Amino acid sequence: MAKRSSLSIRIVEGKNLPAKDITGSSDPYCIMKVDNEPIIRTATVWKTLCPFWGEEYQVRMPPTFHAVAFYVMDEDALSRDDVIGKVCLTRDTLASHPKGFSGWAHLTEVNPDEEVQGEIHLRLEVVPGPRVRWLRCSVLEARDLAPKDRNGASDPFVRVRYKGRTQETSIVKKSCYPRWNETFEFELGEGATEELCVEAWDWDLVSRNDFLGKVVFNVQRLGAAQQEEGWFRLQPDQSRSHQRDEGNLGSLHLEVRLRDETVLPSACYQPLVQLLCQEVKLGNQGPGQLIPLIEETTSAECRQDVATNLLKLFLGQGLAKDFLDLLFQLELGRTSEANTLFRSNSLASKSMESFLKVAGMRYLHGVLGPIIDRVFEEKKYVELDPSKVEVKDVGCSGLHRPQTEAEVLEQSAQTLRGHLGALLGELCRSVRACPAVVRATFRQLFQRVRERFPSAQHENVPFIAVTSFLCLRFFSPAIMSPKLFHLRERHADARTSRTLLLLAKAVQNVGNMDTPASRAKEAWMEPLQPTVHKGVAQLKDFITKLVDIEEKEELELQRTLSLQAPPVKEGPLFIHRTKGKGPLMSSSFKKLYFSLTTEALSFAKTPSSKKSALIKLANIRAAEKVEEKSFGSSHVMQVIYTDDTGRPQTAYLQCKCVNELNQWLSALRKVSINNTGLLGSYHPGIFRGDKWSCCHQRDRTDRGCDKTRSRVTLQEWNDPLDHDLEAQLVYRHLLGVEATLREKHRELSGGTEAGTVPEDPGEAPKDSLAQLLQVLQDLREAHSSSSASLLPSEPNCLLELQT
């Protein structure tokens, strides 16, 4: 049993932001932090006060987080980026919105006295004396304090206040992970009701000291407990907060949903999984009714989530193709008009979308990647709509005169024909590169549609059924928004976006088999007609080859792919190299191409060079961030591992941005999650000279001064399947519609309650819906038992670090 939390985040757009540049505009982007840990950075939208991002993320983390904050920044090339404002959502706020927080939120000014972070380790005890009692406060250490100085650290000390008396610890220079181990005593009067206040400060020689956070204790409650020790989260000082500046900093449109799940042991979900798998295996041949009922009772707002969860559950059981085939048959059974097939957002359509993203994203990158890169690099002005042509944007021709509208249109058509031809050519050559399970699923779809619409007038319908998913719901959205499909790191500018949109429209016309209806919508697309017409023939030939796959070939392709161990993540990174010896040694980073598989982290000089294994996957003990001050560089991570002799080693790797850093950390954590000997603590600094740069300890093997964050990961399309979590999410949905399912069973069983749940515990229900209701009841009881066994935790006190 495990408790898991995840955040579904969509950073939509901003409006009415203040101008930060002399041009009267801004270049806004967002940074999302969970408990002051930067997790996500959106792309920058240039020269606008009303930016649109539309970026979606899923973050998994321990259930002990406190708040998520969104900072809107203005990017500057020559100076430090400006902070425009922030929106902060506490865990309690998110928990009070079961369906998620959605809407506009005013940006508030960032107050330094509220920007506190970190935890402090204290031991508090009441000591009896001959005449009076004493309150003893031991200030042991702190971790992850806010860096307030320009060197990326702080000079922290602690101030302890009680009954008007103040005592202070010594100052620890240049550390966000100080250790003091100092004890203070205060005399306790009879019936003491005052509060003990422990404040952390950053000492400054010239300017005023910076506030780092505080913890306040009820001495009366402490007197009853006699002793209390643990890690306590530092809190802002509300009395120091000035009036929030709301209303003139603009607003941010967010969609954030918190999901807390208690995942039971695998055995608890087996009855549910087996029942659903049995329904899928029977398909339309048996009396199965569960999948149609799930589709019927799923609302439009949660259909995508349910489709994704079911798809992943059946993918883990090797039944994704059978599940989708059953949905195809259900949709075909209720479709009378061929031109409406798979056009609605049904469970079949949503499941197929999820399937292509999970199973076909690497294939999409291989086909589309080079064409998208070419469009971004060329940055040509492209426009086919005469009403939107802007001749001044084109510049001058070789004759030093502005181009005419006709010349602009002809040049644009030529550019688009080149891109479309290249894309179709790449697609036609990619049959063997398409995953076997995707090909087999399209084969099933093609055959089912041809059986349903066999007449000659519907000759193109099976092809359009395939392209409705492959082109209209997969390739075209990726062309229009390459950032959202991880094809590019940044959003396209206005000129490139228009080129991509026109290319996506052309792909849609090819996918629609160049029907008169699609041609009539935008007559100005006519210059592309010859290429579109030729593309239809190419696409039909491609689909014919794509679906021509036998069961034996499918198994052989799957076996071949499984032996190849495709990379989990790959790309260029900078690895740390030390120059020289002794106190004058310097550091540098060398660029290499890294590849992470399910076996090892390897590197090479170039992507095509022979790879050398750096770290065996089974030897990884932790993957964590490194303090910026350690190397004078941001976005550095460390991979702690053991070598072949069992000695601990650390590799330092630098990424180019915070998103890449978190993606690599996430990938490393996922593939090593089941390793033995994972660390519970680590040093966020480096051992330089004779001490750790983070906590100044002189023992190289000293226990780490910060806790590892192995459970903080980003959910991506190539994640390993988590069978128990998917089963839990399916159970959660079914529990929400249980009342509807019971009512449905009552109708099917003739209006009686008999058969819903058997009265005799040893008696099995007679039909699949009754079995499902019984399984839901059993799982509900299992969750109740697990909840009763969980001990409540103190929200302010954190468990001591375990190594």
Side-chain angles (χ1 to χ4, degrees):
M1 179 184 65
K3 295 194 76 173
R4 308 186 195 180
S5 290
S6 65
L7 281 172
S8 299
I9 298 156
R10 185 165 187 253
I11 303 173
V12 187
E13 58 185 323
K15 68 178 179 181
N16 302 328
L17 302 182
K20 291 290 184 178
D21 301 335
I22 58 174
T23 59
S25 186
S26 291
D27 303 312
Y29 66 91
C30 282
I31 290 282
M32 192 211 83
K33 295 183 180 181
V34 176
D35 289 346
N36 296 291
E37 177 92 1
I39 301 293
I40 291 162
R41 183 202 193 278
T42 69
T44 301
V45 183
W46 304 99
K47 298 179 181 178
T48 180
L49 301 180
C50 296
F52 179 83
W53 293 287
E55 298 187 22
E56 298 181 13
Y57 302 91
Q58 287 258 346
V59 185
R60 290 174 177 165
M61 67 199 76
T64 52
F65 84 96
H66 294 79
V68 54
F70 299 85
Y71 293 78
V72 180
M73 312 287 291
D74 168 56
E75 184 168 335
D76 287 318
L78 302 177
S79 61
R80 178 172 290 188
D81 294 351
D82 298 315
V83 182
I84 295 176
K86 76 169 185 177
V87 172
C88 187
L89 300 172
T90 65
R91 197 187 198 292
D92 292 340
T93 300
L94 295 173
S96 66
H97 293 78
K99 294 185 178 180
F101 171 88
S102 178
W104 290 93
H106 288 297
L107 291 171
T108 61
E109 188 176 347
V110 175
N111 178 7
D113 288 328
E114 292 186 7
E115 299 299 297
V116 303
Q117 66 183 64
E119 301 148 13
I120 188 167
H121 188 186
L122 303 171
R123 184 189 304 120
L124 305 169
E125 51 190 331
V126 175
V127 182
R131 289 171 297 178
V132 295
R133 295 183 305 162
W134 294 88
L135 172 60
R136 182 178 295 164
C137 175
S138 297
V139 181
L140 305 177
E141 56 187 321
R143 63 191 180 202
D144 193 29
L145 298 179
K148 293 291 185 178
D149 298 336
R150 299 181 70 178
N151 60 14
S154 289
D155 304 317
F157 69 94
V158 172
R159 184 177 291 158
V160 185
R161 291 190 287 108
Y162 179 68
K163 291 179 68 174
R165 189 171 161 219
T166 301
Q167 299 187 59
E168 295 181 354
T169 66
S170 57
I171 299 167
V172 180
K173 295 291 187 67
K174 298 180 182 178
S175 177
C176 293
Y177 298 83
R179 293 183 178 179
W180 294 284
N181 291 316
E182 298 182 30
T183 300
F184 307 100
E185 290 188 343
F186 300 90
E187 182 180 326
L188 274 179
E190 289 296 326
T193 58
E194 292 82 357
E195 292 180 331
L196 175 73
C197 184
V198 181
E199 297 176 342
W201 291 83
D202 166 52
W203 175 83
D204 285 316
L205 178 62
V206 180
S207 59
R208 69 180 182 88
N209 297 335
D210 297 309
F211 179 69
L212 294 175
K214 71 174 185 178
V215 184
V216 178
F217 296 92
N218 184 311
V219 175
Q220 192 171 14
R221 185 173 67 86
L222 182 63
Q226 294 298 309
Q227 182 174 341
E228 189 170 344
E229 179 180 351
W231 286 94
F232 298 88
R233 181 173 178 79
L234 291 169
Q235 303 292 333
D237 188 351
Q238 300 299 334
S239 64
R240 304 174 60 84
S241 302
H242 52 72
Q243 185 66 33
R244 290 185 181 274
D245 190 3
E246 290 191 15
N248 58 354
L249 294 179
S251 303
L252 190 60
H253 186 192
L254 298 168
E255 295 174 8
V256 187
R257 185 178 65 176
L258 169 65
R259 174 176 278 160
D260 288 321
E261 298 293 344
T262 300
V263 181
L264 301 171
S266 298
C268 297
Y269 298 109
Q270 280 309 300
L272 175 62
V273 174
Q274 289 172 1
L275 182 59
L276 292 174
C277 288
Q278 180 184 353
E279 289 283 306
V280 167
K281 288 175 183 176
L282 288 172
N284 281 352
Q285 304 303 315
Q289 55 183 332
L290 294 187
I291 301 301
L293 274 177
I294 291 174
E295 180 174 31
E296 182 184 330
T297 56
T298 301
S299 63
E301 62 181 356
C302 65
R303 193 169 292 144
Q304 183 66 74
D305 288 340
V306 174
T308 302
N309 296 333
L310 284 170
L311 186 277
K312 287 186 175 180
L313 185 145
F314 290 119
L315 198 62
Q317 301 297 319
L319 292 172
K321 182 181 66 175
D322 304 84
F323 168 61
L324 291 167
D325 185 39
L326 176 56
L327 293 179
F328 296 155
Q329 294 179 68
L330 292 172
E331 181 133 343
L332 284 164
R334 58 174 178 261
T335 303
S336 56
E337 294 293 332
N339 59 357
T340 63
L341 186 60
F342 300 118
R343 297 293 173 169
S344 65
N345 290 321
S346 62
L347 190 63
S349 298
K350 292 296 184 183
S351 297
M352 193 63 180
E353 280 183 34
S354 298
F355 171 69
L356 288 174
K357 287 181 180 178
V358 173
M361 192 69 89
R362 194 178 299 279
Y363 169 66
L364 174 103
H365 279 221
V367 175
L368 279 187
I371 286 88
I372 297 296
D373 289 343
R374 181 174 150 193
V375 173
F376 270 77
E377 288 160 9
E378 289 183 354
K379 293 183 179 294
K380 288 184 178 179
Y381 178 77
V382 174
E383 184 54 73
L384 292 181
D385 187 350
S387 66
K388 294 183 179 179
V389 171
E390 297 180 20
V391 177
K392 64 180 180 180
D393 282 345
V394 181
C396 297
S397 70
L399 299 176
H400 303 285
R401 62 174 177 79
Q403 288 181 310
T404 64
E405 180 180 297
E407 288 173 331
V408 173
L409 293 173
E410 175 53 35
Q411 184 177 304
S412 298
Q414 187 176 343
T415 300
L416 284 170
R417 283 195 291 264
H419 291 324
L420 182 59
L423 193 158
L424 291 170
E426 193 70 37
L427 184 64
C428 291
R429 291 189 293 270
S430 70
V431 173
R432 296 288 296 178
C434 187
V437 66
V438 175
R439 291 182 63 185
T441 303
F442 277 132
R443 178 195 62 205
Q444 291 291 97
L445 173 62
F446 191 88
Q447 290 176 349
R448 295 294 185 192
V449 175
R450 189 160 58 181
E451 291 168 4
R452 175 67 181 82
F453 298 101
S455 63
Q457 70 182 68
H458 293 136
E459 177 189 2
N460 283 337
V461 175
F463 293 96
I464 294 176
V466 173
T467 60
S468 67
F469 292 115
L470 189 65
C471 294
L472 276 62
R473 292 179 182 262
F474 197 39
F475 276 76
S476 287
I479 293 170
M480 286 190 288
S481 304
K483 171 72 169 67
L484 304 186
F485 283 75
H486 310 291
L487 285 161
R488 299 290 295 187
E489 292 179 5
R490 291 180 174 271
H491 289 298
D493 56 28
R495 175 177 289 189
T496 305
S497 290
R498 184 60 180 170
T499 305
L500 293 172
L501 177 61
L502 293 172
L503 180 59
K505 286 178 178 290
V507 170
Q508 289 174 351
N509 286 346
V510 176
N512 285 324
M513 297 292 141
D514 193 24
T515 57
S518 65
R519 219 180 307 163
K521 286 182 181 177
E522 292 158 332
W524 43 263
M525 293 282 288
E526 185 65 29
L528 300 183
Q529 204 54 43
T531 310
V532 170
H533 188 70
K534 180 183 175 183
V536 170
Q538 289 178 285
L539 195 59
K540 289 179 74 173
D541 182 60
F542 163 74
I543 292 172
T544 302
K545 293 175 181 175
L546 188 75
V547 301
D548 184 20
I549 179 173
E550 301 297 331
E551 296 286 346
K552 182 179 178 182
E553 185 184 0
E554 178 190 346
L555 292 173
E556 287 175 356
L557 282 171
Q558 287 175 342
R559 194 178 298 114
T560 303
L561 288 171
S562 64
L563 293 174
Q564 289 175 350
V568 176
K569 184 164 181 62
E570 54 188 350
L573 292 172
F574 295 84
I575 187 167
H576 173 249
R577 290 281 188 261
T578 302
K579 298 178 180 179
K581 296 181 179 180
L584 299 179
M585 68 179 183
S586 61
S587 299
S588 67
F589 284 88
K590 181 180 180 181
K591 187 177 182 180
L592 294 170
Y593 192 86
F594 281 82
S595 177
L596 175 66
T597 68
T598 52
E599 297 173 356
L601 177 65
S602 305
F603 67 91
K605 288 187 177 180
T606 65
S608 56
S609 303
K610 184 179 178 181
K611 293 182 175 60
S612 303
L614 175 66
I615 304 169
K616 292 180 181 177
L617 192 67
N619 293 350
I620 294 177
R621 297 293 173 261
E624 299 293 336
K625 295 179 181 179
V626 177
E627 277 188 307
E628 184 174 342
K629 67 166 186 169
S630 300
F631 294 106
S633 303
S634 54
H635 317 315
V636 179
M637 66 177 174
Q638 56 180 310
V639 184
I640 305 170
Y641 64 101
T642 55
D643 59 21
D644 292 335
T645 63
R647 291 181 301 178
Q649 304 286 348
T650 304
Y652 296 99
L653 304 171
Q654 184 178 14
C655 306
K656 59 187 175 183
C657 63
V658 68
N659 281 357
E660 187 183 68
L661 173 65
N662 283 312
Q663 287 163 7
W664 272 102
L665 286 172
S666 181
L668 286 162
R669 289 166 179 172
K670 288 169 189 171
V671 295
S672 60
I673 191 66
N674 294 319
N675 284 5
T676 56
L678 291 176
L679 298 178
S681 66
Y682 79 108
H683 286 284
I686 59 173
F687 196 84
R688 177 172 286 156
D690 62 347
K691 63 183 179 181
W692 287 101
S693 64
C694 44
C695 58
H696 301 174
Q697 297 305 299
R698 299 186 180 276
D699 183 359
R700 187 163 196 157
T701 61
D702 178 66
R703 175 176 66 87
C705 55
D706 197 8
K707 60 182 184 294
T708 54
R709 295 169 173 83
S710 60
R711 292 178 64 185
V712 180
T713 58
L714 298 173
Q715 184 175 334
E716 295 181 294
W717 54 268
N718 58 349
D719 280 357
L721 293 172
D722 188 337
H723 309 291
D724 296 341
L725 178 59
E726 300 306 334
Q728 165 63 23
L729 294 176
V730 171
Y731 157 71
R732 167 76 77 92
H733 168 71
L734 293 174
L735 196 64
V737 296
E738 184 183 17
T740 306
L741 293 176
R742 287 189 178 278
E743 183 62 34
K744 194 73 178 177
H745 185 263
R746 200 174 292 118
E747 294 175 13
L748 295 173
S749 58
T752 65
E753 290 286 344
T756 303
V757 177
E759 294 181 7
D760 183 356
E763 179 190 352
K766 292 182 172 58
D767 61 80
S768 57
L769 182 51
Q771 290 179 52
L772 178 64
L773 293 169
Q774 179 65 59
V775 167
L776 294 181
Q777 181 174 314
D778 294 341
L779 278 170
R780 186 165 54 245
E781 291 173 358
H783 272 282
S784 298
S785 300
S786 67
S787 299
S789 65
L790 293 175
L791 295 174
S793 60
E794 173 64 45
N796 191 40
C797 180
L798 303 165
L799 293 178
E800 187 174 359
L801 201 63
Q802 298 295 322
T803 59

